[in-house]
Amino acid sequence: MNYSRQREVILNVLRSTTSHPTAEWIYEQSKNILPSISLATVYRNLAYLEQLHEIIKVQGVFEKDRYDGNTKNHAHFVCLVCGNVIDTDVDSDTKVKILTSIPEKADTFSIIFSGVCQKCREKSNNPN
Amino acid sequence: MNYSRQREVILNVLRSTTSHPTAEWIYEQSKNILPSISLATVYRNLAYLEQLHEIIKVQGVFEKDRYDGNTKNHAHFVCLVCGNVIDTDVDSDTKVKILTSIPEKADTFSIIFSGVCQKCREKSNNPN
DNA sequence: ATAAAATTAATAATCATTACTATTTTAGTT
DNA sequence: AACTAAAATAGTAATGATTATTAATTTTAT
């Protein structure tokens, strides 16, 4: 794989946030640096980078795919009110317990928690 | 919500398998019973049934959404070779450990393991 | 500097899912 | 049973995220 400035920018943009952005958002940010970059280039490079395990594609959160520059094995919390996706650590004890809890031999796992985040919980006056 | 024969058939078809089928597959099976059923009806009713928590939509497995008639909180193992999706129990100890491993208060979680299933492992002569 | 391979921008195509609409079915009421 | 309003359907069009195509540009090795 040859060097490309576009790929470098896309990766930097993704690594500069913890917001688990969509391809469209990464495209808009990248345009600030490379105004002529194309959306297809963003998609193509995100696919490459995922294959190289430089980034992670997070599916199953609302409708669009999200991308994550943090490749450490961690879980995601999706707030059903504000839609934010929050990284949550999974300690290695839990990780082992999860991976050994099934008969199959899993290489990786994806955990997506759903609920209402702390902020949204505070905003509503619901004492729960 | 009124009764509909179509919805009844769709639910029965889904409950008759553990294969986590796509909407298209459910449509094909339902046509054997109701030849004039339409694909849009299948999608509409799957969405209704998901809202009622009668079924679960499994996203993030390859490209198409999958559906699951088993609403017990369990995990999924996706084989990267054959593509099969296998139910795997999560014992309640692990469940509690997972849910309490994050600072946010999660209502539910979705776990998708990835790897190569036992069968595909046996077929290849790889001793690992 | 040259050439082959890789990459890109721009745009067309794909295709899973959803929206629309005229018609039919359901379920309650007389 | 007939009447009616709401709900649901079949068929099809529209949507929209993602992927494929292609001619032009860039990279990299020689």
Short mmCIF file of all heavy atoms in Angstrom, two decimals, chain C residues 5-27:
data_model
loop_
_atom_site.label_atom_id
_atom_site.label_comp_id
_atom_site.label_asym_id
_atom_site.label_seq_id
_atom_site.Cartn_x
_atom_site.Cartn_y
_atom_site.Cartn_z
P DA C 5 2.43 -3.31 -13.15
OP1 DA C 5 2.66 -4.74 -12.94
OP2 DA C 5 1.43 -2.84 -14.15
"O5'" DA C 5 2.09 -2.64 -11.75
"C5'" DA C 5 3.15 -2.44 -10.80
"C4'" DA C 5 2.59 -1.64 -9.64
"O4'" DA C 5 2.52 -0.24 -10.01
"C3'" DA C 5 1.19 -2.05 -9.21
"O3'" DA C 5 1.15 -2.11 -7.80
"C2'" DA C 5 0.30 -0.95 -9.79
"C1'" DA C 5 1.22 0.26 -9.74
N9 DA C 5 0.95 1.30 -10.74
C8 DA C 5 0.60 1.13 -12.06
N7 DA C 5 0.43 2.26 -12.71
C5 DA C 5 0.68 3.24 -11.76
C6 DA C 5 0.67 4.64 -11.81
N6 DA C 5 0.37 5.34 -12.91
N1 DA C 5 0.97 5.33 -10.67
C2 DA C 5 1.26 4.62 -9.57
N3 DA C 5 1.31 3.29 -9.39
C4 DA C 5 1.00 2.66 -10.54
P DA C 6 -0.19 -2.37 -6.99
OP1 DA C 6 0.16 -3.23 -5.85
OP2 DA C 6 -1.24 -2.77 -7.96
"O5'" DA C 6 -0.55 -0.93 -6.43
"C5'" DA C 6 0.45 -0.19 -5.73
"C4'" DA C 6 -0.11 1.16 -5.34
"O4'" DA C 6 -0.27 2.00 -6.51
"C3'" DA C 6 -1.48 1.11 -4.65
"O3'" DA C 6 -1.41 1.95 -3.52
"C2'" DA C 6 -2.44 1.63 -5.72
"C1'" DA C 6 -1.56 2.59 -6.51
N9 DA C 6 -1.93 2.78 -7.91
C8 DA C 6 -2.22 1.82 -8.85
N7 DA C 6 -2.49 2.30 -10.04
C5 DA C 6 -2.37 3.67 -9.88
C6 DA C 6 -2.53 4.74 -10.77
N6 DA C 6 -2.87 4.60 -12.06
N1 DA C 6 -2.33 6.00 -10.29
C2 DA C 6 -2.00 6.15 -9.01
N3 DA C 6 -1.82 5.21 -8.07
C4 DA C 6 -2.02 3.98 -8.58
P DT C 7 -2.65 2.15 -2.58
OP1 DT C 7 -2.11 2.41 -1.22
OP2 DT C 7 -3.62 1.05 -2.81
"O5'" DT C 7 -3.29 3.49 -3.12
"C5'" DT C 7 -2.53 4.70 -3.06
"C4'" DT C 7 -3.35 5.81 -3.66
"O4'" DT C 7 -3.48 5.59 -5.08
"C3'" DT C 7 -4.77 5.91 -3.13
"O3'" DT C 7 -4.89 7.13 -2.39
"C2'" DT C 7 -5.66 5.89 -4.37
"C1'" DT C 7 -4.68 6.19 -5.49
N1 DT C 7 -5.03 5.58 -6.82
C2 DT C 7 -5.19 6.42 -7.90
O2 DT C 7 -5.07 7.62 -7.85
N3 DT C 7 -5.52 5.77 -9.08
C4 DT C 7 -5.68 4.41 -9.26
O4 DT C 7 -5.97 3.96 -10.36
C5 DT C 7 -5.49 3.60 -8.08
C7 DT C 7 -5.66 2.12 -8.17
C6 DT C 7 -5.18 4.21 -6.93
P DT C 8 -6.29 7.57 -1.80
OP1 DT C 8 -5.99 8.31 -0.57
OP2 DT C 8 -7.21 6.42 -1.79
"O5'" DT C 8 -6.79 8.58 -2.91
"C5'" DT C 8 -5.90 9.60 -3.39
"C4'" DT C 8 -6.59 10.37 -4.49
"O4'" DT C 8 -6.66 9.52 -5.65
"C3'" DT C 8 -8.02 10.76 -4.15
"O3'" DT C 8 -8.12 12.18 -4.10
"C2'" DT C 8 -8.87 10.17 -5.28
"C1'" DT C 8 -7.88 9.74 -6.32
N1 DT C 8 -8.20 8.46 -7.01
C2 DT C 8 -8.45 8.47 -8.36
O2 DT C 8 -8.44 9.47 -9.04
N3 DT C 8 -8.73 7.23 -8.90
C4 DT C 8 -8.77 6.02 -8.23
O4 DT C 8 -9.03 4.97 -8.82
C5 DT C 8 -8.50 6.09 -6.82
C7 DT C 8 -8.53 4.83 -6.00
C6 DT C 8 -8.23 7.29 -6.28
P DA C 9 -9.38 12.87 -3.52
OP1 DA C 9 -8.97 14.13 -2.86
OP2 DA C 9 -10.17 11.87 -2.79
"O5'" DA C 9 -10.17 13.24 -4.85
"C5'" DA C 9 -9.59 14.15 -5.79
"C4'" DA C 9 -10.57 14.41 -6.93
"O4'" DA C 9 -10.78 13.17 -7.66
"C3'" DA C 9 -11.95 14.87 -6.49
"O3'" DA C 9 -12.41 15.82 -7.43
"C2'" DA C 9 -12.79 13.59 -6.50
"C1'" DA C 9 -12.14 12.76 -7.59
N9 DA C 9 -12.11 11.31 -7.35
C8 DA C 9 -11.96 10.67 -6.15
N7 DA C 9 -11.93 9.36 -6.24
C5 DA C 9 -12.06 9.12 -7.60
C6 DA C 9 -12.11 7.93 -8.35
N6 DA C 9 -12.00 6.70 -7.82
N1 DA C 9 -12.26 8.04 -9.68
C2 DA C 9 -12.35 9.26 -10.22
N3 DA C 9 -12.33 10.46 -9.62
C4 DA C 9 -12.17 10.31 -8.30
P DA C 10 -13.74 16.61 -7.22
OP1 DA C 10 -13.57 17.96 -7.77
OP2 DA C 10 -14.18 16.42 -5.82
"O5'" DA C 10 -14.74 15.81 -8.17
"C5'" DA C 10 -14.35 15.51 -9.51
"C4'" DA C 10 -15.38 14.59 -10.12
"O4'" DA C 10 -15.08 13.22 -9.74
"C3'" DA C 10 -16.81 14.86 -9.67
"O3'" DA C 10 -17.61 15.10 -10.82
"C2'" DA C 10 -17.23 13.61 -8.92
"C1'" DA C 10 -16.28 12.55 -9.49
N9 DA C 10 -16.00 11.45 -8.58
C8 DA C 10 -15.82 11.50 -7.22
N7 DA C 10 -15.58 10.34 -6.66
C5 DA C 10 -15.60 9.44 -7.74
C6 DA C 10 -15.41 8.05 -7.82
N6 DA C 10 -15.15 7.28 -6.76
N1 DA C 10 -15.48 7.49 -9.05
C2 DA C 10 -15.75 8.27 -10.11
N3 DA C 10 -15.94 9.59 -10.15
C4 DA C 10 -15.85 10.12 -8.92
P DT C 11 -19.18 15.41 -10.68
OP1 DT C 11 -19.51 16.41 -11.70
OP2 DT C 11 -19.50 15.63 -9.27
"O5'" DT C 11 -19.85 14.03 -11.12
"C5'" DT C 11 -19.15 13.21 -12.08
"C4'" DT C 11 -19.74 11.82 -12.03
"O4'" DT C 11 -19.10 11.02 -11.00
"C3'" DT C 11 -21.24 11.77 -11.72
"O3'" DT C 11 -21.85 10.91 -12.66
"C2'" DT C 11 -21.29 11.19 -10.32
"C1'" DT C 11 -20.10 10.26 -10.37
N1 DT C 11 -19.60 9.80 -9.07
C2 DT C 11 -19.26 8.48 -8.93
O2 DT C 11 -19.35 7.68 -9.85
N3 DT C 11 -18.82 8.12 -7.69
C4 DT C 11 -18.68 8.95 -6.59
O4 DT C 11 -18.27 8.51 -5.53
C5 DT C 11 -19.05 10.32 -6.80
C7 DT C 11 -18.93 11.30 -5.68
C6 DT C 11 -19.48 10.68 -8.01
P DA C 12 -23.41 10.91 -12.91
OP1 DA C 12 -23.69 11.64 -14.16
OP2 DA C 12 -24.11 11.27 -11.66
"O5'" DA C 12 -23.62 9.36 -13.19
"C5'" DA C 12 -22.59 8.63 -13.87
"C4'" DA C 12 -22.69 7.17 -13.51
"O4'" DA C 12 -22.11 6.93 -12.21
"C3'" DA C 12 -24.12 6.64 -13.46
"O3'" DA C 12 -24.13 5.36 -14.09
"C2'" DA C 12 -24.42 6.57 -11.96
"C1'" DA C 12 -23.04 6.29 -11.37
N9 DA C 12 -22.81 6.81 -10.02
C8 DA C 12 -23.01 8.09 -9.58
N7 DA C 12 -22.70 8.28 -8.31
C5 DA C 12 -22.27 7.03 -7.90
C6 DA C 12 -21.79 6.55 -6.66
N6 DA C 12 -21.67 7.32 -5.57
N1 DA C 12 -21.44 5.25 -6.58
C2 DA C 12 -21.57 4.48 -7.68
N3 DA C 12 -22.00 4.81 -8.89
C4 DA C 12 -22.33 6.11 -8.94
P DA C 13 -25.48 4.49 -14.11
OP1 DA C 13 -25.46 3.71 -15.36
OP2 DA C 13 -26.63 5.37 -13.77
"O5'" DA C 13 -25.24 3.47 -12.91
"C5'" DA C 13 -24.06 2.68 -12.90
"C4'" DA C 13 -24.12 1.73 -11.72
"O4'" DA C 13 -23.89 2.48 -10.51
"C3'" DA C 13 -25.45 1.01 -11.55
"O3'" DA C 13 -25.17 -0.36 -11.35
"C2'" DA C 13 -26.09 1.70 -10.34
"C1'" DA C 13 -24.87 2.14 -9.54
N9 DA C 13 -25.04 3.31 -8.69
C8 DA C 13 -25.56 4.52 -9.02
N7 DA C 13 -25.56 5.40 -8.04
C5 DA C 13 -24.98 4.71 -6.99
C6 DA C 13 -24.69 5.09 -5.66
N6 DA C 13 -24.95 6.29 -5.15
N1 DA C 13 -24.11 4.17 -4.87
C2 DA C 13 -23.85 2.95 -5.37
N3 DA C 13 -24.08 2.48 -6.60
C4 DA C 13 -24.65 3.42 -7.36
P DT C 14 -26.35 -1.41 -11.07
OP1 DT C 14 -25.98 -2.68 -11.71
OP2 DT C 14 -27.65 -0.75 -11.36
"O5'" DT C 14 -26.25 -1.60 -9.51
"C5'" DT C 14 -24.97 -1.87 -8.93
"C4'" DT C 14 -25.16 -2.11 -7.44
"O4'" DT C 14 -25.32 -0.84 -6.77
"C3'" DT C 14 -26.39 -2.94 -7.08
"O3'" DT C 14 -25.97 -3.92 -6.13
"C2'" DT C 14 -27.37 -1.93 -6.50
"C1'" DT C 14 -26.41 -0.93 -5.88
N1 DT C 14 -26.89 0.46 -5.68
C2 DT C 14 -26.63 1.08 -4.47
O2 DT C 14 -26.05 0.53 -3.56
N3 DT C 14 -27.08 2.36 -4.38
C4 DT C 14 -27.74 3.08 -5.36
O4 DT C 14 -28.10 4.24 -5.15
C5 DT C 14 -27.99 2.38 -6.60
C7 DT C 14 -28.71 3.08 -7.70
C6 DT C 14 -27.56 1.12 -6.70
P DC C 15 -26.70 -5.32 -6.00
OP1 DC C 15 -25.64 -6.35 -5.97
OP2 DC C 15 -27.80 -5.36 -6.99
"O5'" DC C 15 -27.35 -5.24 -4.56
"C5'" DC C 15 -26.71 -4.52 -3.51
"C4'" DC C 15 -27.76 -4.10 -2.50
"O4'" DC C 15 -28.11 -2.72 -2.72
"C3'" DC C 15 -29.10 -4.86 -2.61
"O3'" DC C 15 -29.63 -5.01 -1.32
"C2'" DC C 15 -29.97 -3.90 -3.40
"C1'" DC C 15 -29.51 -2.60 -2.74
N1 DC C 15 -29.90 -1.35 -3.43
C2 DC C 15 -29.77 -0.16 -2.74
O2 DC C 15 -29.31 -0.18 -1.59
N3 DC C 15 -30.14 0.98 -3.35
C4 DC C 15 -30.62 0.96 -4.59
N4 DC C 15 -30.97 2.11 -5.14
C5 DC C 15 -30.77 -0.27 -5.31
C6 DC C 15 -30.40 -1.38 -4.69
P DA C 16 -29.71 -6.48 -0.64
OP1 DA C 16 -28.39 -7.15 -0.69
OP2 DA C 16 -30.89 -7.10 -1.25
"O5'" DA C 16 -30.05 -6.16 0.89
"C5'" DA C 16 -29.05 -5.52 1.67
"C4'" DA C 16 -29.71 -4.45 2.51
"O4'" DA C 16 -30.10 -3.34 1.67
"C3'" DA C 16 -30.96 -4.89 3.26
"O3'" DA C 16 -30.87 -4.41 4.58
"C2'" DA C 16 -32.10 -4.23 2.48
"C1'" DA C 16 -31.44 -2.98 1.94
N9 DA C 16 -32.01 -2.46 0.69
C8 DA C 16 -32.32 -3.18 -0.43
N7 DA C 16 -32.81 -2.45 -1.41
C5 DA C 16 -32.79 -1.17 -0.91
C6 DA C 16 -33.19 0.08 -1.45
N6 DA C 16 -33.67 0.22 -2.69
N1 DA C 16 -33.05 1.17 -0.68
C2 DA C 16 -32.55 1.03 0.56
N3 DA C 16 -32.15 -0.08 1.19
C4 DA C 16 -32.31 -1.16 0.39
P DT C 17 -31.98 -4.77 5.69
OP1 DT C 17 -31.32 -4.72 7.01
OP2 DT C 17 -32.73 -5.96 5.26
"O5'" DT C 17 -32.94 -3.51 5.59
"C5'" DT C 17 -32.41 -2.23 5.94
"C4'" DT C 17 -33.40 -1.16 5.59
"O4'" DT C 17 -33.65 -1.15 4.17
"C3'" DT C 17 -34.78 -1.28 6.24
"O3'" DT C 17 -34.88 -0.22 7.19
"C2'" DT C 17 -35.77 -1.17 5.09
"C1'" DT C 17 -34.92 -0.59 3.97
N1 DT C 17 -35.34 -0.92 2.58
C2 DT C 17 -35.70 0.10 1.74
O2 DT C 17 -35.72 1.28 2.08
N3 DT C 17 -36.06 -0.29 0.47
C4 DT C 17 -36.08 -1.59 -0.04
O4 DT C 17 -36.41 -1.81 -1.19
C5 DT C 17 -35.68 -2.62 0.90
C7 DT C 17 -35.66 -4.05 0.47
C6 DT C 17 -35.33 -2.24 2.15
P DT C 18 -36.21 0.05 7.98
OP1 DT C 18 -35.82 0.73 9.23
OP2 DT C 18 -37.03 -1.17 7.98
"O5'" DT C 18 -36.93 1.13 7.05
"C5'" DT C 18 -36.19 2.28 6.65
"C4'" DT C 18 -37.09 3.21 5.88
"O4'" DT C 18 -37.34 2.69 4.56
"C3'" DT C 18 -38.47 3.45 6.52
"O3'" DT C 18 -38.66 4.86 6.49
"C2'" DT C 18 -39.42 2.66 5.62
"C1'" DT C 18 -38.72 2.74 4.28
N1 DT C 18 -38.96 1.64 3.30
C2 DT C 18 -39.27 1.96 2.01
O2 DT C 18 -39.40 3.11 1.63
N3 DT C 18 -39.45 0.89 1.16
C4 DT C 18 -39.32 -0.45 1.48
O4 DT C 18 -39.49 -1.31 0.64
C5 DT C 18 -39.00 -0.72 2.86
C7 DT C 18 -38.84 -2.14 3.30
C6 DT C 18 -38.83 0.32 3.69
P DA C 19 -40.05 5.50 6.94
OP1 DA C 19 -39.74 6.78 7.61
OP2 DA C 19 -40.88 4.48 7.61
"O5'" DA C 19 -40.72 5.84 5.53
"C5'" DA C 19 -40.02 6.64 4.59
"C4'" DA C 19 -40.96 7.03 3.46
"O4'" DA C 19 -41.15 5.91 2.58
"C3'" DA C 19 -42.35 7.47 3.91
"O3'" DA C 19 -42.72 8.57 3.09
"C2'" DA C 19 -43.21 6.23 3.68
"C1'" DA C 19 -42.53 5.58 2.49
N9 DA C 19 -42.59 4.11 2.43
C8 DA C 19 -42.34 3.24 3.45
N7 DA C 19 -42.43 1.97 3.10
C5 DA C 19 -42.77 2.02 1.76
C6 DA C 19 -43.01 1.02 0.81
N6 DA C 19 -42.94 -0.29 1.08
N1 DA C 19 -43.32 1.40 -0.44
C2 DA C 19 -43.37 2.71 -0.72
N3 DA C 19 -43.17 3.75 0.09
C4 DA C 19 -42.86 3.33 1.32
P DC C 20 -44.17 9.26 3.19
OP1 DC C 20 -44.03 10.69 2.84
OP2 DC C 20 -44.77 8.85 4.48
"O5'" DC C 20 -44.97 8.56 2.00
"C5'" DC C 20 -44.43 8.62 0.68
"C4'" DC C 20 -45.42 7.97 -0.30
"O4'" DC C 20 -45.32 6.53 -0.19
"C3'" DC C 20 -46.89 8.34 -0.04
"O3'" DC C 20 -47.45 8.70 -1.28
"C2'" DC C 20 -47.49 7.06 0.53
"C1'" DC C 20 -46.63 5.98 -0.13
N1 DC C 20 -46.50 4.68 0.59
C2 DC C 20 -46.66 3.51 -0.13
O2 DC C 20 -46.94 3.56 -1.34
N3 DC C 20 -46.52 2.32 0.51
C4 DC C 20 -46.22 2.28 1.79
N4 DC C 20 -46.07 1.08 2.38
C5 DC C 20 -46.05 3.47 2.56
C6 DC C 20 -46.19 4.65 1.92
P DT C 21 -48.88 9.48 -1.35
OP1 DT C 21 -48.78 10.52 -2.39
OP2 DT C 21 -49.29 9.83 0.03
"O5'" DT C 21 -49.86 8.34 -1.87
"C5'" DT C 21 -49.45 7.49 -2.95
"C4'" DT C 21 -50.52 6.46 -3.22
"O4'" DT C 21 -50.18 5.22 -2.53
"C3'" DT C 21 -51.91 6.84 -2.70
"O3'" DT C 21 -52.89 6.30 -3.57
"C2'" DT C 21 -51.97 6.17 -1.35
"C1'" DT C 21 -51.27 4.86 -1.70
N1 DT C 21 -50.72 4.09 -0.55
C2 DT C 21 -50.56 2.73 -0.69
O2 DT C 21 -50.83 2.14 -1.72
N3 DT C 21 -50.06 2.09 0.41
C4 DT C 21 -49.73 2.67 1.62
O4 DT C 21 -49.29 1.99 2.54
C5 DT C 21 -49.93 4.10 1.70
C7 DT C 21 -49.59 4.82 2.98
C6 DT C 21 -50.41 4.73 0.64
P DA C 22 -54.29 7.11 -3.80
OP1 DA C 22 -54.00 8.25 -4.68
OP2 DA C 22 -54.95 7.33 -2.48
"O5'" DA C 22 -55.13 6.04 -4.60
"C5'" DA C 22 -54.47 5.12 -5.49
"C4'" DA C 22 -54.96 3.71 -5.23
"O4'" DA C 22 -54.32 3.18 -4.03
"C3'" DA C 22 -56.46 3.59 -5.00
"O3'" DA C 22 -56.94 2.46 -5.72
"C2'" DA C 22 -56.59 3.41 -3.48
"C1'" DA C 22 -55.31 2.66 -3.15
N9 DA C 22 -54.83 2.84 -1.78
C8 DA C 22 -54.84 3.98 -1.02
N7 DA C 22 -54.33 3.84 0.18
C5 DA C 22 -53.96 2.50 0.22
C6 DA C 22 -53.37 1.72 1.23
N6 DA C 22 -53.03 2.18 2.44
N1 DA C 22 -53.14 0.43 0.94
C2 DA C 22 -53.49 -0.04 -0.27
N3 DA C 22 -54.05 0.59 -1.30
C4 DA C 22 -54.26 1.88 -0.98
P DT C 23 -58.50 1.97 -5.55
OP1 DT C 23 -58.94 1.47 -6.86
OP2 DT C 23 -59.25 3.02 -4.83
"O5'" DT C 23 -58.35 0.70 -4.59
"C5'" DT C 23 -57.44 -0.34 -4.96
"C4'" DT C 23 -57.42 -1.40 -3.88
"O4'" DT C 23 -56.84 -0.86 -2.66
"C3'" DT C 23 -58.80 -1.94 -3.49
"O3'" DT C 23 -58.75 -3.36 -3.58
"C2'" DT C 23 -59.00 -1.47 -2.06
"C1'" DT C 23 -57.57 -1.36 -1.56
N1 DT C 23 -57.33 -0.44 -0.42
C2 DT C 23 -56.72 -0.94 0.71
O2 DT C 23 -56.38 -2.10 0.83
N3 DT C 23 -56.53 -0.01 1.72
C4 DT C 23 -56.88 1.32 1.70
O4 DT C 23 -56.65 2.03 2.67
C5 DT C 23 -57.52 1.77 0.49
C7 DT C 23 -57.94 3.20 0.36
C6 DT C 23 -57.71 0.89 -0.50
P DT C 24 -60.01 -4.27 -3.23
OP1 DT C 24 -59.98 -5.41 -4.16
OP2 DT C 24 -61.19 -3.40 -3.11
"O5'" DT C 24 -59.65 -4.84 -1.78
"C5'" DT C 24 -58.42 -5.53 -1.61
"C4'" DT C 24 -58.25 -5.88 -0.14
"O4'" DT C 24 -58.10 -4.68 0.64
"C3'" DT C 24 -59.42 -6.64 0.47
"O3'" DT C 24 -58.87 -7.79 1.09
"C2'" DT C 24 -60.04 -5.67 1.47
"C1'" DT C 24 -58.83 -4.80 1.84
N1 DT C 24 -59.10 -3.43 2.32
C2 DT C 24 -58.61 -3.04 3.54
O2 DT C 24 -57.97 -3.80 4.26
N3 DT C 24 -58.87 -1.74 3.89
C4 DT C 24 -59.57 -0.81 3.15
O4 DT C 24 -59.74 0.32 3.57
C5 DT C 24 -60.07 -1.26 1.87
C7 DT C 24 -60.84 -0.33 1.00
C6 DT C 24 -59.81 -2.54 1.52
P DT C 25 -59.78 -8.86 1.84
OP1 DT C 25 -59.18 -10.18 1.57
OP2 DT C 25 -61.19 -8.56 1.52
"O5'" DT C 25 -59.52 -8.54 3.38
"C5'" DT C 25 -58.18 -8.53 3.87
"C4'" DT C 25 -58.18 -8.08 5.32
"O4'" DT C 25 -58.57 -6.69 5.39
"C3'" DT C 25 -59.15 -8.84 6.22
"O3'" DT C 25 -58.39 -9.26 7.33
"C2'" DT C 25 -60.23 -7.83 6.56
"C1'" DT C 25 -59.44 -6.52 6.49
N1 DT C 25 -60.21 -5.27 6.22
C2 DT C 25 -60.10 -4.21 7.10
O2 DT C 25 -59.42 -4.26 8.10
N3 DT C 25 -60.80 -3.09 6.75
C4 DT C 25 -61.59 -2.93 5.62
O4 DT C 25 -62.18 -1.88 5.42
C5 DT C 25 -61.68 -4.06 4.75
C7 DT C 25 -62.52 -3.99 3.51
C6 DT C 25 -60.98 -5.17 5.08
P DT C 26 -59.01 -10.27 8.41
OP1 DT C 26 -57.94 -11.22 8.76
OP2 DT C 26 -60.32 -10.75 7.91
"O5'" DT C 26 -59.26 -9.36 9.68
"C5'" DT C 26 -58.18 -8.62 10.22
"C4'" DT C 26 -58.71 -7.57 11.17
"O4'" DT C 26 -59.48 -6.61 10.43
"C3'" DT C 26 -59.61 -8.10 12.28
"O3'" DT C 26 -58.99 -7.82 13.51
"C2'" DT C 26 -60.94 -7.37 12.08
"C1'" DT C 26 -60.52 -6.15 11.27
N1 DT C 26 -61.52 -5.54 10.36
C2 DT C 26 -61.86 -4.22 10.51
O2 DT C 26 -61.39 -3.51 11.39
N3 DT C 26 -62.78 -3.74 9.61
C4 DT C 26 -63.37 -4.43 8.57
O4 DT C 26 -64.17 -3.88 7.82
C5 DT C 26 -62.97 -5.81 8.45
C7 DT C 26 -63.57 -6.64 7.36
C6 DT C 26 -62.08 -6.30 9.34
P DA C 27 -59.51 -8.48 14.88
OP1 DA C 27 -58.37 -8.51 15.83
OP2 DA C 27 -60.23 -9.72 14.54
"O5'" DA C 27 -60.55 -7.42 15.42
"C5'" DA C 27 -60.12 -6.06 15.60
"C4'" DA C 27 -61.28 -5.23 16.06
"O4'" DA C 27 -62.09 -4.86 14.91
"C3'" DA C 27 -62.24 -5.97 17.01
"O3'" DA C 27 -62.73 -5.03 17.95
"C2'" DA C 27 -63.36 -6.43 16.09
"C1'" DA C 27 -63.43 -5.24 15.15
N9 DA C 27 -64.06 -5.51 13.86
C8 DA C 27 -64.18 -6.70 13.19
N7 DA C 27 -64.80 -6.61 12.04
C5 DA C 27 -65.10 -5.26 11.93
C6 DA C 27 -65.75 -4.52 10.95
N6 DA C 27 -66.23 -5.05 9.81
N1 DA C 27 -65.90 -3.19 11.15
C2 DA C 27 -65.41 -2.66 12.28
N3 DA C 27 -64.78 -3.27 13.29
C4 DA C 27 -64.65 -4.57 13.04
#
